[in-house]
Structures are given as structure tokens and as C-alpha cells.
């Protein structure tokens, strides 16, 4: 067994690998970029080596820097994690030439599976069922038009070197093909340096199933059962589970056999995942090979939970030449597991990534397994994947595991930036999801329930007014409040975008009355101009029973509610949680806001740093609400900036190829 390994990755997967290595008595070496200096993964390992600037192309993707770090520290082997160099055959070759063990498959296997087109040819030769499609060398638009017509719309464009949903587009008609192919090629070239594509029949209500496999490189392959990863946004997984729910026995048997056959076809070594589409309408004949990921997957913990095995330990033992630790008949299945990916992103804005400092972080480690590489105070940058944590639950059956997941998500708290936490909880409690009725179109078909916003009630208004009172009387705080006078405190608050006037009056120790006033069309300017035409929205009395500084208990109408109230960023904002529901509260200075004046013109600003790749209209053009204005690339994904209303484009501040910063004005736009 190795005495020291280097982990050529960052974040939660680097810590995950180091945790197993530490348990096995193996020393670990971390690598870190300028942006990750002081990050948890470098502190968790025994040693850490600086490898360059924040962009991955100058640090985590530079093969020579990784090998130099391994040589310098005496590491005998390198674990690549996932992403970055994990499926780079040149990296595997370079390590071999340097006499350092690559903890993964051979370079030959990586190359054979690295191209989706070549992999599909291999699988067809091995009689593994594949999706109808085209993966030829000819890459002209005319070729794709002909092949798409043969296959039949809708189709799915897939980058041959792709992964993680990047470079994928669903095309419904021939008229969409040219633009979709152009955009997908740009995205694939940026993410993978390769803009070759294949096209496959798009199964609209497919399930995304995958088989976890391990091979010894000598022809022996075992499986660790299957996972269901159907619920996705932008072709990227959101919540995974193992085993797959409501899967007929004959389909499951065929799926597992196909996964093992695929791995044997390439004499697989180490951990891998064989991914399939499943068309439930076609039954056992509806299993189609998609691709093989020649690495450990993000969602591997759910398979670990149901087998009770440590997959990183298996990787290390196989790489050290010990072979497969168990034969297939010794690998057993126990219960059910879920994994939710907690991302810094805004589900209500097409899951756009969110960047910034995490001002508060509470993860439910007492009820769930937490795999994370992020701590409170850390910055989510545009350079890397915006995942904050993986939340994993296990139970004796699916219902128990899902109940634990809902409980864990209801206690998850992140402030300082947007997350998908409330969305994940809505998914976990959705009726169809509870029944296991999932598909790759699940989110699109369930938007009414998954994106439904909670209403603002008296408890939230009470918390908003008390937090402002605490801020104005910092020496007293809320703990041990003893306000006995009838003095009234008046404050403005903007709760999830709605401006309200809060009048809070003390009626005794820790007791208040609250009136909330708003207008039918409340504007900050009207308030600043002393327009008092407000209607009273509600009036209530409540008590604050206890608080530990961030968790409050309020009694209203004889009912007690626990709320979590945490600072959101550095501008005095706050977030209020009741369970998984969350409200964003601002305290605007109405006079300052009113003094800005009305210009009649507006603009569209970048919400995160990126690169302008295409202008979709011309200066002076009249556009309709929702029309695309420009395309920018951020976090290796393309994002379309659309017109917020009917209006006119008066100018573009940047041209294709220009870098933009968070907050930069992109378009001069005037509403009609």
C-alpha cells in the first residue's frame, strides 16, 4: 500500500479522499490555487503545495505542476478526484512516465471512453444497447441536418468530449439546429478544447440510470448496483438516489448486466460509472448506453451508503495492485439512500450560479452525512463549480431515507448568496417524487410546485421588525429584552421585493404589537415624499419566547414557531427561515433611494464575471420582452441575457471576446 498520495483536486472531493487515506494511515498532499489559499482541503491534508493562479488552466489543469508537486513531496500515487484532470489520458501517461501511480484506469481506457463517439462504437461492438444516433467524423451542418432528419426530432446534441451537462442542447425542429449547434460548439470548445459533436434521439420522458462498477484491470468486474439520477437542470444532476425506484426486476437485471459488460469491453481498472437512458414505455428494450465516466462520480456516496463500502479505499487498493476486495456474491444491498447537491445558485433565475461570501452556514451534520469543502466566511468564486455541499441520507427503505432528507434540508441554512436549498426541499416533498415517478423532464413538468414561493405572514414581519430593533439598540440585543414602555419603533423593510412599513410597539417584557402597512402599488419614492396613503395590511400581538442570537421562538395567536434569523451579506440584509422556507429582508434608506431620480432609461448588468461571446441583436433594434440580447459565458456555461420588457437597445457596452466583471453594465436599454 502507498505511504503518501497527492490529491490533484480541491473542495469536498479532496477532503473525501483525504479522509479515507487518513483512516488507512496514508499521508496526503493537497494542491491549491491562489483562490484556494487557506481553503479547508489544503488544511485537512498533511501537506499542501501551491500550483498557480485561480483559473484552472493556470493551476489544477497544468499537468507539469501536479507532477512537480508529487515529486517534491515524495507522493507515490495521485488521486485525481473528479473533474479537472480525472479523465485526461495525457495526465495518466505523464504520471506513468514519471514513475507515479495514477489512481484510476489506464490511459488507453480513458481515451476509448473519453470520446462519446468512439465509446458508442465500442459498446455497439460489445452488444451493449445504445441510443439511435450519429457519431461520425463528418461535422458539417449539412451532415447534422441529414442525420437529424433520419433519426427524427427531437434530438440531443452532445459534445463528444463532454461531461457535466456542458455542450448539450435539445433540438426540437430543424429551424433550431443551426443556432443550437453554434452555441453548443462554443461551449464545448471553451470547456473541453474540443468542439466535435454527436447527435442522438431525444427520449422526452427518459430516466437517467447508472451502474457503479469496479474492475481489477485483469478482466474481473463487479457492480455496486444502480443509481437514479433523473432529476436534472441544464442536464446536470440535482438529486440522486440508490437503488433506482420502481424499476422492474427484468429491467434492473438487464441494466446491471449491461454495465458490467461495458466495463469488461475495455478491461476496466478502478472505479467507473456506466450511464444509461431508460425509456419506461419500451420496458426491458428501452435501455440505452450513454457514456462511461472513468472516475469516481459526485454521487458515489449513495452507493456507498447502500453497500456499506468505502469506494475510495477500493480505488486505493486496486491501484496498489491488491485486486478487487470482494467478489460480486459478497457485495450486498441494504436500504435506500439520497444525495442532494446544495449549490450556490438561483433556481428562480434558471439556476444561474451565485458568487460571493458565505456570511452564515449551518449544515445538518447530526441527521445526515455531509460531504463539503466549504466553511462559513469562504468565498464562492466564478472559477470553480459552485457546489457548497452534498447532503446524504440513508434509511431502511426509501420512505425513511426521504423523510431524513426532508428533515436535513429543512435545517440547512446558507446566507450571503443564493442557494437551491428551498428548491431541493420542495423536490423532496413533491408528491410525484415521493412515489418515485421521475424523469429527466421532472423539473420542467413540475414547476408549479417546485418554484412556488412561500407567502409572507405575520411571523416574518415580526422577525423583520425585531431584527431592525436589535440593530438600532445593539447594547441590548434581543436576548433578555425588557422593553416595558409603549414607545413605538417605525421602520421600512423590503421583504422578497415588497416594500412595507412596520410599526412595532412594546406592550410588556418581550411582548409587542405590530402593524404592517403597505400601498396597493408601494414605491419608495411615494414613501419618501410623505405619501401616507397606505392601507393597513395586518395588526397582531406577539411575544418573543426565547432566542440564542440566531434562532428565535415567537408566539403568535397561541402558536409557537421557531425561526432562524441570520445576517445576509455585509449590507445589513437578513434572511429569515421557517423550516426550509426562506425570506430575504432588506432595510432600504427611502430618502437615499428616492433621490436617485427617474431617468426613463435602464440597463442590464452582469450578475457574475464572464466573457461576452455573441450579440443577438443590433443597436437601435426594437425588441420584445424575453428576446435574447447577448450571450455570455460564465463558469463554463453559456447564459443568455434577455430583454426584461418591450423596448429598444440603445447600445452595447462590450463586444464579443470582452471580459466583464460582476455588476458591469452590459446593455443600454430603454423600455417602450
Amino acid at each position: 500500500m502507498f505511504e503518501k498520495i497527492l490529491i490533484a483536486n480541491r473542495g469536498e472531493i479532496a477532503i473525501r479522499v483525504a479522509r479515507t487515506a487518513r483512516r488507512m494511515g496514508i499521508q496526503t498532499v493537497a494542491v491549491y490555487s491562489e483562490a484556494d489559499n487557506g481553503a479547508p482541503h489544503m488544511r485537512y491534508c498533511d501537506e499542501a503545495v501551491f500550483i498557480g493562479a485561480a483559473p484552472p488552466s493556470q493551476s489544477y489543469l497544468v499537468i507539469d505542476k501536479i507532477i512537480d508537486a508529487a515529486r517534491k513531496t515524495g507522493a507515490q500515487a495521485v488521486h485525481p478526484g473528479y473533474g479537472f484532470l480525472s479523465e485526461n489520458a495525457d495526465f495518466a501517461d505523464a504520471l506513468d512516465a514519471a514513475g507515479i501511480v495514477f489512481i484510476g484506469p489506464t490511459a488507453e481506457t480513458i481515451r476509448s471512453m473519453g470520446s462519446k463517439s468512439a465509446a458508442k462504437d465500442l459498446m455497439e461492438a460489445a452488444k451493449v444497447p445504445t441510443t439511435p444516433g450519429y457519431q461520425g467524423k463528418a461535422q458539417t451542418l449539412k451532415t447534422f441536418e441529414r442525420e437529424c432528419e433520419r433519426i427524427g426530432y427531437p434530438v440531443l446534441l452532445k459534445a463528444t468530449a463532454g461531461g457535466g451537462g456542458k455542450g448539450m442542447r435539445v433540438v426540437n425542429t430543424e429551424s433550431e439546429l443551426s443556432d443550437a449547434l453554434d452555441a453548443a460548439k462554443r461551449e464545448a470548445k471553451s470547456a473541453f478544447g474540443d468542439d466535435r459533436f454527436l447527435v442522438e434521439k431525444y427520449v422526452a420522458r427518459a430516466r437517467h440510470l447508472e451502474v457503479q462498477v469496479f474492475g481489477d484491470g485483469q478482466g474481473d468486474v463487479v457492480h455496486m448496483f444502480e443509481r437514479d439520477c433523473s432529476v436534472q437542470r441544464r442536464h446536470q444532476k440535482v438529486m440522486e438516489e440508490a437503488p433506482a425506484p420502481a424499476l422492474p426486476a427484468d429491467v434492473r437485471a438487464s441494466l446491471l448486466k449491461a454495465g458490467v459488460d461495458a466495463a469488461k469491453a475495455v478491461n476496466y481498472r478502478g472505479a467507473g460509472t456506466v450511464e444509461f437512458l431508460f425509456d419506461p414505455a419500451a420496458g426491458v428494450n428501452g435501455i440505452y448506453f450513454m457514456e462511461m465516466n472513468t472516475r469516481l462520480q459526485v454521487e458515489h456516496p449513495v452507493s456507498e451508503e447502500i453497500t456499506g463500502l468505502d469506494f475510495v479505499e477500493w480505488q486505493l487498493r486496486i491501484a496498489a495492485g491488491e485486486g478487487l476486495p470482494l467478489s460480486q456474491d459478497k457485495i450486498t444491498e441494504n436500504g435506500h439512500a439520497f444525495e442532494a447537491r446544495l449549490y450556490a445558485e438561483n433556481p428562480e433565475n434558471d439556476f444561474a450560479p451565485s458568487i460571493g461570501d458565505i456570511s452564515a452556514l449551518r449544515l445538518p451534520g447530526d441527521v445526515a452525512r455531509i460531504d463539503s469543502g466549504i466553511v462559513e466566511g469562504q468565498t464562492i468564486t466564478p472559477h470553480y463549480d459552485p457546489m457548497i455541499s452534498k447532503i446524504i441520507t440513508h434509511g431502511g427503505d426509501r420512505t425513511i431515507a426521504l423523510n431524513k432528507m426532508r428533515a436535513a434540508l429543512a435545517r440547512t441554512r446558507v446566507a450571503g448568496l443564493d442557494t437551491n436549498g428551498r428548491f431541493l426541499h420542495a423536490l423532496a416533498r413533491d408528491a410525484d417524487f415521493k412515489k418515485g415517478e421521475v424523469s429527466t423532464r421532472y423539473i420542467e413538468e413540475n414547476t408549479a410546485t417546485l418554484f412556488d414561493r412561500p407567502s409572507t405572514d405575520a411571523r416574518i414581519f415580526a422577525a423583520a421588525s425585531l431584527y431592525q430593533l436589535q440593530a438600532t439598540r445593539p447594547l441590548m440585543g434581543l436576548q433578555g429584552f425588557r422593553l416595558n414602555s409603549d414607545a413605538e419603533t417605525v421602520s421600512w423593510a423590503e421583504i422578497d421585493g415588497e416594500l412595507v412599513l412596520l410599526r412595532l410597539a412594546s406592550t410588556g417584557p418581550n411582548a409587542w404589537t405590530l402593524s404592517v402597512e403597505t400601498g396597493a402599488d408601494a414605491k419608495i419614492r411615494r414613501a419618501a415624499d410623505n405619501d401616507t396613503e397606505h392601507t393597513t395590511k395586518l395588526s397582531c400581538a406577539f411575544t418573543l419566547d426565547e432566542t440564542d442570537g440566531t434562532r428565535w421562538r415567537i408566539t403568535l395567536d397561541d402558536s409557537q414557531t421557531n425561526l432562524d434569523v441570520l445576517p445576509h451579506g455585509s449590507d445589513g440584509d437578513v434572511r429569515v427561515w421557517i423550516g426550509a422556507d426562506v425570506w430575504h429582508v432588506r432595510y432600504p434608506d427611502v430618502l437615499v433611494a428616492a433621490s436617485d431620480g427617474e431617468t426613463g432609461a435602464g440597463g442590464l448588468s452582469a450578475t457574475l464575471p464572464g466573457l461576452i461571446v455573441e450579440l443577438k441583436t443590433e443597436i437601435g433594434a426594437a425588441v420584445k420582452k424575453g428576446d435574447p440580447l447577448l450571450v455570455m459565458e460564465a463558469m463554463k456555461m453559456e447564459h443568455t441575457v434577455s430583454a426584461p420588457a418591450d423596448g429598444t437597445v440603445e447600445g452595447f457596452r462590450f463586444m464579443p471576446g470582452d471580459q466583464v466583471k460582476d455588476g458591469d453594465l452590459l446593455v443600454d436599454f430603454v423600455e417602450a
Side-chain angles (χ1 to χ4, degrees), residues 88-387:
N88 188 305
D90 292 339
F91 182 47
D93 276 337
L95 286 171
D96 185 59
I100 301 169
V101 176
F102 179 65
I103 302 173
T106 64
E108 180 183 4
T109 298
I110 295 173
R111 286 193 176 92
S112 66
M113 292 292 101
S115 164
K116 287 182 171 61
S117 299
K120 196 169 181 182
D121 289 339
L122 250 173
M123 293 303 108
E124 289 177 350
K127 302 194 182 312
V128 175
T130 61
T131 312
Y134 167 76
Q135 61 265 17
K137 293 181 179 180
Q139 294 281 302
T140 65
L141 175 60
K142 189 172 183 179
T143 299
F144 280 105
E145 288 175 339
R146 182 183 67 248
E147 293 300 328
C148 290
E149 184 67 27
R150 176 183 63 81
I151 297 164
Y153 289 94
V155 298
L156 181 65
L157 294 172
K158 296 170 65 175
T160 62
K166 298 178 178 67
M168 295 180 69
R169 293 290 190 282
V170 176
V171 183
N172 294 294
T173 64
E174 184 177 350
S175 63
E176 300 174 9
L177 181 61
S178 179
D179 285 348
L181 187 60
D182 286 345
K185 280 179 173 289
R186 284 195 304 268
E187 194 170 285
K189 187 71 173 178
S190 173
F192 314 114
D194 188 337
D195 64 357
R196 291 172 298 162
F197 270 75
L198 59 82
V199 61
E200 294 178 340
K201 178 67 179 175
Y202 180 66
V203 183
R205 288 196 53 80
R207 289 175 65 178
H208 184 138
L209 306 177
E210 57 189 39
V211 180
Q212 175 72 58
V213 295
F214 276 89
D216 64 359
Q218 305 298 318
D220 195 8
V221 174
V222 297
H223 67 74
M224 302 291 185
F225 308 104
E226 83 286 354
R227 300 186 284 259
D228 191 306
C229 307
S230 298
V231 181
Q232 304 176 4
R233 86 287 189 262
R234 296 199 308 266
H235 306 292
Q236 291 181 307
K237 301 160 189 174
V238 174
M239 190 179 294
E240 304 94 354
E241 60 182 298
L247 198 63
D250 59 341
V251 172
R252 190 185 200 207
S254 295
L255 177 75
L256 296 177
K257 181 181 184 301
V260 171
D261 288 347
K264 286 184 174 180
V266 292
N267 196 22
Y268 199 76
R269 183 187 74 193
T273 299
V274 190
E275 301 197 357
F276 296 89
L277 277 182
F278 171 53
D279 182 358
V284 73
N285 295 315
I287 299 170
Y288 305 119
F289 170 85
M290 287 198 302
E291 63 183 342
M292 184 174 188
N293 289 295
T294 54
R295 53 176 168 81
L296 202 62
Q297 292 277 90
V298 176
E299 59 272 22
H300 77 274
V302 293
S303 298
E304 288 187 320
E305 292 295 315
I306 67 167
T307 59
L309 300 174
D310 184 329
F311 289 0
V312 174
E313 179 178 347
W314 274 55
Q315 287 185 293
L316 293 170
R317 294 197 180 282
I318 292 169
E322 296 182 11
L324 296 175
L326 293 174
S327 58
Q328 188 69 68
D329 61 333
K330 295 293 193 300
I331 301 169
T332 58
E333 180 182 24
N334 174 35
H336 206 97
F338 286 90
E339 174 183 291
R341 301 189 189 190
L342 182 66
Y343 277 102
E345 64 183 16
N346 185 350
E348 296 174 8
N349 185 24
D350 194 27
F351 297 93
S354 178
I355 62 172
D357 297 333
I358 295 181
S359 56
L361 180 63
R362 309 283 189 273
L363 298 174
D366 55 338
V367 294
R369 168 178 165 179
I370 303 297
D371 283 12
S372 179
I374 300 294
V375 294
E376 188 169 291
Q378 197 166 340
T379 301
I380 300 295
T381 76
H383 302 293
Y384 313 120
D385 186 271
M387 187 166 67

Side-chain angles (χ1 to χ4, degrees), residues 11-84:
E12 62 86 15
I13 186 57
I15 293 175
R16 165 72 192 88
V17 173
R19 185 181 301 121
T20 291
R22 177 182 291 181
R23 179 177 59 77
M24 296 176 67
I26 301 170
Q27 290 186 305
T28 53
V29 180
V31 291
Y32 66 96
S33 71
E34 192 172 54
D36 278 336
N37 192 5
H41 80 275
M42 63 172 290
R43 297 199 304 269
Y44 191 90
C45 292
D46 299 299
E47 302 175 61
V49 179
F50 176 69
I51 54 170
S57 60
Q58 300 176 45
S59 50
Y60 294 105
L61 290 174
V62 183
I63 292 174
D64 289 344
K65 290 185 177 182
I66 302 297
I67 292 178
D68 286 345
R71 283 175 170 153
K72 182 189 302 182
T73 57
Q76 300 154 304
V78 171
H79 194 300
Y82 46 69
F84 294 141

